[in-house]
Amino acid sequence: MCHLYASTAPARYENTTRSVRLQGCVTSVRLENEFWEILDALAASQNLSTARFISQLYSEVVEEKGEVSNLASLLRVVCAVHLQQTADLVPDLVAMPRSACL
């Protein structure tokens, strides 16, 4: 196993539950701390609180798709898409030689 991944600090994959108001209703979202950190940064980049960012995202998805069947999964995918877009912008900074995971 690649040491980079195996040595990940447990605090990064521990879960945290936060409350969010979505279209007037309060709900709880449970995500790993790593995802909360990414969402916090995304929200801050748009001058929004994380709760407001999630609320706006939720409303936009409902408007476009009609529903959000799994909010936690949506948020994880949003984080993955964000990381992929970031990696595409700076490929040399995230490139890792295959030998690093042997």
Side-chain angles (χ1 to χ4, degrees), residues 18-22 27 29 31 35-36 39-40 43 48-61 68 71 74-75:
R18 296 189 192 179
S19 294
V20 183
R21 184 175 299 277
L22 303 173
T27 190
V29 181
L31 293 173
F35 290 112
W36 283 122
L39 290 169
D40 291 342
L48 298 171
S49 69
T50 303
R52 184 71 184 137
F53 174 81
I54 292 170
S55 178
Q56 285 186 356
L57 174 65
Y58 179 87
S59 293
E60 289 175 18
V61 172
V68 175
L71 181 58
L74 169 66
L75 296 174

Side-chain angles (χ1 to χ4, degrees), residues 13-24:
Y13 54 84
E14 289 175 355
N15 291 312
T16 298
T17 302
R18 296 189 192 179
S19 294
V20 183
R21 184 175 299 277
L22 303 173
Q23 298 181 335

